[in-house]
Amino acid sequence: MSTNDTPRHDELVVTHAPEGVVDPGLPPHQPRLGDTDPKASKRSERIVAALFGLSVLGSIGVIVAYFAFPPGESVSSIQQSNMFLGLGLAFCFAGIGFGAVHWAKSIMNDHEKVEERHPQRSSDEDRAAAVEVLKEGAADSGIARRSALKGGLITALALLPLPVALPLIGNVGADWDVSKFRHTMWRRGTRLMTDPTYRPIRAADVTIGSVVHVIPEGLHHDELESDQSFMDEKAKAVVLLVRLDERDLKHTEGSYHGIVAFSKICTHVGCPVALYEQQTHHLLCPCHQSTFDVADGAKVVFGPAKRALPQLPITVDDEGYLIATDDFSEPIGPSFWERVK
Amino acid sequence: MKAIAARRHHRQAPVVLLVLALLVMGGVYAAFATTSADATVVTQSDDDVEAGRKLFAANCASCHGLNAEGRQNAPSLVGVGAASVYFQVSTGRMPMQADAPQAEAKPPQFGEEATRQLAAYVASLGAGPAIPTEDQVDPAKGDPASGMALFRTNCSMCHAASGAGGALTQGKYAPSVLNTDPAAIYTAMATGPQSMPVFNDMTLTPEEKRDIIAFIDAQKEGAPGGLDLGQIGPVGEGMWAFIVGMGLLIACAVWIGAKSS
């Protein structure tokens, strides 16, 4: 360790600099105001003390706020509690932090110091000794001639990752039954029900420009064995029902007097596609802006999705309520390896 | 006055002036931005229809046609109902100011009386959704919990889970519903203005619409976390984290590294 006024540092750097460049060295040391003026030094001391005092006040403030402003039940009381606790914490941490930095900057000695880095290369004797030790060890173990031991060690090391990797891979999904991705709850004759109010939908009640969020009949907490199966089935079966002017529809297959139903699960990565623009008949996915044209079989007109949304074929039953005539014609949602038929 | 004049070259005079100017601007804006819109019950009479017809001929017919039959760029208003007129006119969307991707809300161009008369005239052209009664849009009578479930399924994909609105395509957007008057929320659901689809009384019954209004009203208390940063999701929050948060960190780093004077 040496201070900046020793010549050794300058010499060392100059020898490494390209020719013609002179290392200017460290700038001359400038005394601070506090170094020459005792009054300024006293003032810095007072500022640091005040910052620490602020931290003390903040800590006391947090304790006071904890008792004085309990979160309570209403939004405004929670806001109040959060604000006072937060302000107190801000002062108690910032006071210590700013005080410590100001102390170090304005009161502690500010002479620049240079610490030379020692060379990383070991001495030649050390290196030779290390190689000697390794050679001795290898010869002693006899790894070159004891091939059975060598094979055993390599096998043991190769198998070592398996106890960790196998459970990890095995737990991914925990369920390799992919056939359930191919089918949903929709069957021939399943009524379309409103989500979340669970009412059947009369075709005559659906006005042009309407959008109805639809779940299949039977997808109800009372009719399923568990909440888990409710969520699993709902995730596959949700449908968006739209009524267009029949003249705007390009294909009427699977529709009923301008009413069309498409899976709400995006074919890109499975977000619920439900931003419907009534005037353009475009359906947007909120995640990656895939856009589907409802008037044209929900085919992709923009965005990363590659396939049209699967259509749910519908008609009406004897009472005029909308029913499905079949399940979706293809698996809903994003692609998976086994999707190819 | 003399004291002020003497200090006009003071080092902090520009700062004081700037703060004053900002305060004045803010005050003037607040005074103009406040609009009063109350849900009103419409009682139709022949006089209203006749007065509405005259208003229509003078203000709307140039685009929608003398008999509201519609033109190339303006839809027919036969059968859209009084609710549609109420929504479009009371929120200032109609008459439209400029040919833009969508008609935006602005201070209403007609008073309550004139809006009622226009609505009565359009309603007389063909049956359509009516303007709701005050009782139908009273947030105090709705159930905000049921409204939340309905809002999440039917509204949140466009208007955001917070109700703060969001972007659509080609410059169109779903506006914030947080400061919308309850009757305008109701009539928007009933008529499906512009890009918005229709939620008629089968899809969302009048009681369910009132629940949604109650849920939106319950959002006015604000977020318990404090500053909500516009509630537009990760974009706004990320901007704060990068500009304000990282800016402060950089400022601290510069301060710690700088030499003390």
Side-chain angles (χ1 to χ4, degrees):
Chain A
M1 192 185 286
S2 61
T3 50
N4 63 326
D5 43 15
T6 59
R8 192 180 144 233
H9 170 244
D10 291 353
E11 279 165 15
L12 191 84
V13 176
V14 169
T15 52
H16 291 290
E19 267 184 52
V21 177
V22 181
D23 176 18
L26 289 166
H29 178 69
Q30 299 261 356
R32 294 164 301 183
L33 211 55
D35 295 338
T36 50
D37 183 2
K39 256 192 191 161
S41 168
K42 258 285 174 271
R43 193 168 60 231
S44 299
E45 213 175 310
R46 276 201 302 274
I47 291 175
V48 173
L51 284 166
F52 289 153
L54 202 64
S55 167
V56 171
L57 288 181
S59 300
I60 295 171
V62 172
I63 296 165
V64 172
Y66 177 77
F67 290 107
F69 303 104
E73 295 285 313
S74 74
V75 170
S76 59
S77 68
I78 298 173
Q79 277 175 343
Q80 204 174 39
S81 167
N82 282 344
M83 187 180 76
F84 284 110
L85 286 178
L87 277 178
L89 282 171
F91 279 115
C92 91
F93 280 102
I96 293 180
F98 282 93
V101 173
H102 195 63
W103 185 351
K105 282 175 55 144
S106 63
I107 298 172
M108 285 165 78
N109 130 37
D110 72 335
H111 283 273
E112 292 85 358
K113 289 181 179 165
V114 175
E115 225 176 308
E116 298 296 349
R117 184 180 285 161
H118 64 80
Q120 292 205 315
R121 191 179 195 279
S122 306
S123 68
D124 287 338
E125 303 91 77
D126 285 352
R127 291 162 71 92
V131 170
E132 197 54 42
V133 166
L134 282 176
K135 274 184 179 162
E136 252 176 53
D140 194 27
S141 71
I143 198 155
R145 65 198 156 75
R146 295 202 170 99
S147 56
L149 287 186
K150 190 160 81 176
L153 179 65
I154 290 173
T155 314
L157 286 175
L159 288 184
L160 192 64
L162 278 183
V164 180
L166 189 75
L168 277 180
I169 295 168
N171 284 343
V172 176
D175 178 2
W176 297 92
D177 171 21
V178 291
S179 69
K180 61 175 184 282
F181 299 137
R182 300 187 191 281
H183 305 287
T184 68
M185 275 184 75
W186 293 103
R187 300 278 175 277
R188 180 174 178 77
T190 309
R191 268 191 183 167
L192 279 70
M193 311 294 266
T194 56
D195 180 26
T197 43
Y198 202 64
R199 285 193 297 261
I201 302 159
R202 257 166 49 87
D205 289 340
V206 185
T207 42
I208 288 178
S210 279
V211 153
V212 189
H213 297 264
V214 169
I215 49 175
E217 186 181 16
L219 185 63
H220 195 265
H221 286 289
D222 301 341
E223 298 173 46
L224 290 162
E225 64 243 43
S226 68
D227 283 351
Q228 183 61 43
S229 62
F230 174 82
M231 295 315 285
D232 285 350
E233 290 302 330
K234 186 172 183 180
K236 290 189 291 175
V238 279
V239 157
L240 191 80
L241 184 88
V242 180
R243 184 163 201 165
L244 290 71
D245 190 330
E246 220 169 336
R247 288 165 295 187
D248 291 335
L249 267 186
K250 294 204 176 128
H251 330 277
T252 51
E253 212 177 307
S255 72
Y256 180 78
H257 290 286
I259 305 178
V260 283
F262 290 100
S263 164
K264 214 159 86 175
I265 310 299
C266 187
T267 53
H268 175 221
V269 284
C271 292
V273 195
L275 286 81
Y276 177 64
E277 291 185 0
Q278 197 212 137
Q279 289 170 335
T280 55
H281 310 311
H282 285 174
L283 192 56
L284 274 62
C285 181
C287 292
H288 307 101
Q289 287 71 49
S290 290
T291 307
F292 304 88
D293 188 356
V294 171
D296 191 7
K299 76 165 198 204
V300 184
V301 290
F302 180 79
K306 282 280 174 286
R307 283 175 281 114
L309 293 171
Q311 184 171 9
L312 184 74
I314 51 168
T315 184
V316 291
D317 61 12
D318 303 339
E319 295 169 69
Y321 289 108
L322 287 167
I323 53 167
T325 61
D326 199 359
D327 196 357
F328 295 104
S329 53
E330 55 180 319
I332 57 104
S335 303
F336 48 97
W337 281 347
E338 298 85 346
R339 190 178 177 278
V340 186
K341 284 162 193 153
Chain B
M1 219 48 210
K2 231 176 176 179
I4 296 173
R7 289 186 188 174
R8 68 185 192 275
H9 293 304
H10 191 271
R11 208 152 53 98
Q12 270 154 7
V15 178
V16 173
L17 278 178
L18 188 69
V19 169
L20 280 177
L22 283 172
L23 279 177
V24 170
M25 289 280 283
V28 170
Y29 175 77
F32 277 98
T34 333
T35 53
S36 64
D38 291 316
T40 45
V41 189
V42 168
T43 45
Q44 289 186 18
S45 73
D46 290 347
D47 290 348
D48 284 342
V49 174
E50 185 51 29
R53 197 186 61 75
K54 284 184 183 146
L55 279 171
F56 189 91
N59 296 289
C60 320
S62 56
C63 298
H64 288 287
L66 262 179
N67 299 310
E69 72 277 16
R71 293 269 176 82
Q72 204 174 2
N73 292 323
S76 161
L77 300 184
V78 178
V80 299
S84 186
V85 178
Y86 178 86
F87 175 80
Q88 301 283 0
V89 177
S90 77
T91 61
R93 286 180 166 81
M94 289 290 149
M96 213 170 160
Q97 203 163 35
D99 194 9
Q102 75 183 39
E104 298 189 23
K106 58 180 184 291
Q109 309 294 300
F110 293 96
E112 264 178 52
E113 173 80 5
T115 308
R116 199 164 52 80
Q117 289 166 341
L118 272 173
Y121 167 67
V122 171
S124 75
L125 300 172
I131 300 176
T133 61
E134 268 185 52
D135 184 61
Q136 278 178 303
V137 298
D138 186 357
K141 294 193 169 117
D143 172 8
S146 144
M148 181 180 73
L150 292 162
F151 190 92
R152 276 195 311 218
T153 305
N154 292 287
C155 320
S156 64
M157 62 287 298
C158 297
H159 292 285
S162 60
L168 294 173
T169 59
Q170 319 247 329
K172 296 184 293 265
Y173 63 92
S176 163
V177 295
L178 294 173
N179 296 311
T180 309
D181 136 62
I185 297 174
Y186 189 102
T187 48
M189 288 189 272
T191 61
Q194 304 186 37
S195 293
M196 180 166 162
V198 181
F199 297 90
N200 64 15
D201 287 354
M202 184 280 303
T203 319
L204 294 171
T205 63
E207 291 74 40
E208 287 165 2
K209 289 192 174 85
R210 188 166 61 188
D211 290 348
I212 289 177
I213 289 169
F215 167 71
I216 293 169
D217 187 68
Q219 307 313 303
K220 292 196 173 128
E221 271 189 277
L227 267 188
D228 58 28
L229 310 180
Q231 297 194 326
I232 52 168
V235 174
E237 287 156 19
M239 198 186 82
W240 270 74
F242 270 78
I243 294 177
V244 180
M246 286 172 72
L248 279 174
L249 287 179
I250 291 169
C252 280
V254 168
W255 175 66
I256 290 172
K259 280 194 172 181
S260 179
S261 56

